[in-house]
Amino acid sequence: MAVIETTGLTKVYNADQVPVHALRGVDLTIEKGEFTAVVGPSGSGKTTLLNIISGLDEPTEGRTIVQGTDLSTLSDRQLIDFRLHHIGFVFQAYNLIPVLTAIENVAFVMQMQGRPQKECNETSRALLEEVGLADKINKRPSELSGGQQQRVAVARALSSKPDFVLADEPTANLDSVSSGELLDMMLELNEKEDMTFVFSTHDQRVIDRARRVVTLVDGKIDKDELRE
Amino acid sequence: MFLKVIQLGWKNVWRNPMRSAVVIIAVLLGTWAGIFLSGFFAGMAQGYLNNQFKLTVGHIEIVHPQFKDLYSPEYYIPNSDDVIRELSQLSYVQNISTESVTTGLAQSAHSNYGVTMHGIHADSNNAIADYIKEGTMPGQSDKRNPVLIGQKLAERLDIEIGSRMVLSFQDKNGEITGGAFRVAGIFDSFSDPYDEGNVFIGLENMNELLGLTNQVHNIQLELADFSQASQYASQLQNEYPNLQIQTWGKIAPELQYMYDMTDLMMYIVMVIIIIALIFSIINTMLMAVLERTRELGMLRAVGMNKPRVFSMIVSETLFLTMVGAPVGMLLSWITISYFGNVGIDLSAFSAGLSAYGFGTVIYPSLPNIYYLNITLMIAAAALLSALYPAWKSLQLNPVEAIRKFN
Ligand SMILES: Nc1ncnc2c1ncn2[C@@H]1O[C@H](COP(=O)(O)OP(=O)(O)OP(=O)(O)O)[C@@H](O)[C@H]1O
Ligand SMILES: [Mg+2]
């Protein structure tokens, strides 16, 4: 079973005024363990696509099936719960709660899932070690560099044991060294844990590291390349 | 897990310590000022009432049913000795004072003035004793026909201790009578009109002139709790159907009105302060919510549901309020207790105050029930001001909020 399967996704913004066709029929299937970059020019619909896959936004037409669940059948409430348990998020910025330490940030989503405190602590600690921040677990986000903050965000995304991790331009605010490190780390998690990653990016060096590159142009898939 | 949300709320309170501190201090000062002012007004009103109770009405007053019509001396209380003995057995009666009363004219060589004359027992514990400024009570004087007069009257008649004056009035048969008295003492109470219009002489002296023996016209009861007066008065009325028994509120409706109004005033002051607090809290919390749009969007995106976001914001507001309010209440309790003992001396303004019958020293006081009511009011206000920002925080659309990331 595919982790993500979209069929005929379209998205029209401002349908009643000047319509913007952000997506014009996207069929995309992502299997477990894939490491996929969604690329394309600005305004080509990358963010829109990721938001629909994660159930944050609704398509105008078409369906999204995540691990066998058709998102259109879920109520708002069920969608939030679905995201909490099935999807890990990494955003471009503002991923972390500024008043919490790194480990508290990682544990937060697990706590929302209602897991026991002990498990939250142990898992969070292990994840922070895995992303190379063992010595920073008690630091607040403001005490961390941008790259370190994004790594905490990746650890947080993994903490909920999601089916896949969605990252919209996770490296956009990072310098090239930090971008490279973050991508190395994501690749390592992809290999070691078989975690599925879908991320959007403009950065050619990041694109070069992806295993699969889906190129959107004008809301349609223009190219879909597998690399080795 | 819910605890985690509330913990997060608490931490959020301190993300802008300066702003939170300002709100907390505003709540603290508002609570304190509101309660202290209430206590001040209540103490002022209570002091006024106590003064009036002491000198003019008493909590319950017992007279002959026709006495009040014209203050005719013939309408004394029949068998007053028996009545007084029975009353003194009652557990809720703290003090009994009795007098014979009539109205007449006070004259000196220089001037004259209409006064109320009080005939009091030599061993009477009449409250006027507390206000003697010079000389003694009539009962303690070795002069013949001693009289105690007010400072104002002494000035008006231009007399002093040892001076002679004449009191004339009607006896019980309506005949003009009177006698020469010597000023044995001068009192100065909280009220200028009272000082000008009241004189005290010995009961025997007065009754002899009135043609009475040891009868009295007026029995005043001091109760342990004056607010219970009407309940006890109606009990007594059943026992003594031939006497007129009235409460302070009936005799002096303006006092009852004042008593009721202070209650209302205190709550109005509190409500105004609380409304001001609600607005400042809502304003602060709205700022706190609006500047965190992206973070709240992120939290909603990663799976924090609406009830949790709502609870988080509500808890933040409640923390803001619940730190300041109890401290403010404690502070007001301490200051009210302190000044309730020591008093606040307003003698700088006392000339004005005593013309209206207020004391010059205010003893703030507030019954405990008000602390409870004010606590409830503040809690309700806090909840009210918590709901709007929390509701507002739910209106944001996570997709819109996240788009602002880029
Ligand atoms: N809320 C909205 N209302 C109207 N139009 C929108 C809205 N969100 C996105 N769009 C439009 O939809 C199109 C696709 O936007 P989207 O953000 O998905 O592109 P993108 O590929 O992520 O671009 P970028 O690389 O700049 O992030 C754009 O033309 C954009 O202007
Ligand atoms: Mg985008």
Side-chain angles (χ1 to χ4, degrees), chain B residues 207-403:
Chain B
N207 281 0
E208 200 185 315
L209 290 167
L210 288 173
L212 304 175
T213 51
N214 63 342
Q215 293 92 339
V216 295
H217 295 106
N218 181 331
I219 301 176
Q220 289 186 357
L221 304 183
E222 185 190 329
L223 307 178
D225 178 0
F226 73 93
S227 61
Q228 309 259 301
S230 32
Q231 177 196 333
Y232 293 133
S234 51
Q235 272 175 33
L236 289 173
Q237 188 65 75
N238 287 338
E239 280 173 55
Y240 301 102
N242 296 326
L243 293 175
Q244 178 176 320
I245 299 180
Q246 284 187 314
T247 63
W248 60 275
K250 266 272 162 49
I251 302 162
E254 72 282 2
L255 292 186
Q256 179 73 55
Y257 179 70
M258 176 169 180
Y259 178 68
D260 297 340
M261 282 308 283
T262 31
D263 237 34
L264 189 66
M265 273 251 301
M266 279 160 45
Y267 284 116
I268 289 176
V269 168
M270 260 342 272
V271 165
I272 289 173
I273 287 177
I274 283 176
I275 287 175
L277 288 180
I278 288 182
F279 276 102
S280 85
I281 294 170
I282 288 185
N283 181 46
T284 304
M285 283 309 295
L286 278 182
M287 279 202 305
V289 167
L290 290 180
E291 73 187 14
R292 261 153 62 198
T293 310
R294 288 179 287 217
E295 184 183 325
L296 291 171
M298 178 274 290
L299 288 171
R300 292 269 300 280
V302 301
M304 191 167 179
N305 60 24
K306 285 188 177 188
R308 285 176 193 164
V309 173
F310 190 84
S311 316
M312 180 176 79
I313 304 292
V314 166
S315 74
E316 283 176 41
T317 318
L318 292 185
F319 281 132
L320 272 185
T321 325
M322 293 308 163
V323 174
V327 178
M329 298 201 38
L330 185 71
L331 206 67
S332 52
W333 182 78
I334 291 171
T335 45
I336 286 177
S337 306
Y338 175 76
F339 286 112
N341 275 324
V342 180
I344 298 173
D345 193 349
L346 295 180
S347 38
F349 318 96
S350 76
L353 285 172
S354 76
Y356 293 103
F358 286 97
T360 57
V361 179
I362 307 288
Y363 297 92
S365 79
L366 202 61
N368 289 333
I369 181 76
Y370 287 96
Y371 287 98
L372 180 71
N373 287 345
I374 289 169
T375 309
L376 293 177
M377 282 166 76
I378 292 178
L383 213 60
L384 214 67
S385 47
L387 294 181
Y388 181 64
W391 176 80
K392 198 82 188 162
S393 75
L394 296 186
Q395 302 310 303
L396 92 133
N397 176 349
V399 182
E400 301 292 316
I402 290 164
R403 282 215 177 254

Side-chain angles (χ1 to χ4, degrees), chain A residues 13-14 20 22 40-49 169 202, chain B residues 400 403:
Chain A
Y13 290 111
N14 300 335
V20 178
S42 190
S44 56
K46 304 183 291 295
T47 298
T48 306
L49 177 61
E169 312 211 26
H202 282 290
Chain B
E400 301 292 316
R403 282 215 177 254

Side-chain angles (χ1 to χ4, degrees), chain A:
Chain A
M1 182 172 47
V3 180
I4 302 166
E5 194 183 337
T6 74
T7 38
L9 284 187
T10 69
K11 179 73 181 177
V12 184
Y13 290 111
N14 300 335
D16 42 347
Q17 300 160 34
V18 184
V20 178
H21 294 268
L23 295 180
R24 307 165 182 261
V26 172
D27 304 307
L28 180 66
T29 303
I30 291 183
E31 300 293 342
K32 179 150 181 62
E34 283 189 356
F35 196 76
T36 308
V38 178
V39 304
S42 190
S44 56
K46 304 183 291 295
T47 298
T48 306
L49 177 61
L50 295 193
N51 283 347
I52 289 173
I53 289 175
S54 62
L56 281 172
D57 211 349
E58 286 177 355
T60 308
E61 275 169 46
R63 287 202 305 172
T64 313
I65 294 169
V66 173
Q67 285 283 338
T69 303
D70 184 345
L71 296 189
S72 65
T73 63
L74 300 181
S75 67
D76 279 1
R77 210 183 263 219
Q78 289 169 321
L79 262 176
I80 289 197
D81 222 45
F82 189 83
R83 287 204 296 273
L84 179 61
H85 290 277
H86 295 272
I87 308 176
F89 286 92
V90 179
F91 303 104
Q92 178 178 331
Y94 302 103
N95 273 295
L96 305 179
I97 304 169
V99 295
L100 299 184
T101 62
I103 189 165
E104 288 168 340
N105 263 291
V106 176
F108 189 73
V109 174
M110 302 175 75
Q111 283 159 348
M112 291 301 108
Q113 289 178 326
R115 300 198 195 201
Q117 187 59 40
K118 192 156 173 277
E119 184 194 341
C120 295
N121 285 340
E122 285 169 2
T123 311
S124 308
R125 190 180 296 271
L127 281 167
L128 282 171
E129 278 168 21
E130 225 174 321
V131 301
L133 292 174
D135 55 338
K136 298 277 192 285
I137 60 171
N138 289 320
K139 297 274 189 235
R140 297 268 178 101
S142 58
E143 300 168 297
L144 299 173
S145 71
Q148 289 167 336
Q149 290 182 27
Q150 290 304 75
R151 287 199 248 165
V152 176
V154 171
R156 199 256 326 265
L158 293 174
S159 70
S160 61
K161 302 206 164 62
D163 300 333
F164 62 95
V165 174
L166 271 186
D168 193 7
E169 312 211 26
T171 62
N173 286 5
L174 302 183
D175 58 59
S176 54
V177 177
S178 306
S179 298
E181 285 172 358
L182 188 73
L183 216 70
D184 285 343
M185 195 203 78
M186 283 163 57
L187 267 170
E188 196 182 317
L189 289 165
N190 170 249
E191 275 160 20
K192 258 190 10 205
E193 322 247 341
D194 202 26
M195 178 53 69
T196 314
F197 281 87
V198 182
F199 55 96
S200 71
T201 185
H202 282 290
D203 186 338
Q204 192 53 48
R205 277 167 300 190
V206 172
I207 298 171
D208 292 342
R209 312 283 289 273
R211 301 253 164 72
R212 178 179 174 192
V213 179
V214 175
T215 308
L216 284 182
V217 175
D218 262 350
K220 275 195 237 167
I221 295 181
D222 185 52
K223 269 190 282 181
D224 188 348
E225 314 158 89
L226 279 176
R227 307 191 172 163
E228 213 35 66

